[in-house]
């Protein structure tokens, strides 16, 4: 059976930008899929796989910003 599946993932955290200074970024990714689904187990597998992929994208964006802010903090000091 063909189903439309909407999956989202997010990540947020704190990045130190200096003494007593923090940046609080958040990233969100969402995808709508149309997929052939053969039962609940197959649907759960699709959701888990795609959620992990979206979470990885958000985490990558967070880490890239963190590295940029660390370099900026070092440059300021």
């Amino acid at each position: 059976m063909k189903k439309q599946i909407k999956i989202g993932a997010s990540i947020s955290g704190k990045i130190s930008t200096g003494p007593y200074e923090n940046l609080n970024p958040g990233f969100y990714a969402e995808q709508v899929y149309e997929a052939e689904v053969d039962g609940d187990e197959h649907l759960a597998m699709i959701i888990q796989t795609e959620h992990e992929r979206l979470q990885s994208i958000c985490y990558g964006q967070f880490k890239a910003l963190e590295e940029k802010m660390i370099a900026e903090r070092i440059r300021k000091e």
Side-chain angles (χ1 to χ4, degrees):
M1 170 192 334
K2 200 167 214 176
K3 286 193 173 190
Q4 188 175 39
I5 306 163
K6 183 177 179 181
I7 302 170
S10 66
I11 190 169
S12 62
K14 291 192 184 299
I15 299 171
S16 176
T17 57
Y20 306 105
E21 296 177 18
N22 293 310
L23 181 65
N24 300 308
F27 298 94
Y28 179 74
E30 181 177 87
Q31 182 79 37
V32 177
Y33 300 91
E34 198 158 306
E36 282 292 325
V37 177
D38 300 325
D40 290 341
E41 286 182 24
H42 185 232
L43 176 61
M45 183 190 71
I46 291 170
I47 291 170
Q48 180 179 352
T49 301
E50 294 305 320
H51 182 265
E52 288 172 359
R53 187 180 70 79
L54 293 174
Q55 191 73 27
S56 177
I57 290 169
C58 293
Y59 183 73
Q61 290 176 322
F62 183 88
K63 291 305 284 181
L65 180 59
E66 181 182 41
E67 289 173 10
K68 179 180 175 184
M69 297 312 296
I70 288 170
E72 182 66 26
R73 186 180 72 218
I74 290 169
R75 188 187 64 75
K76 281 182 187 178
E77 293 173 356

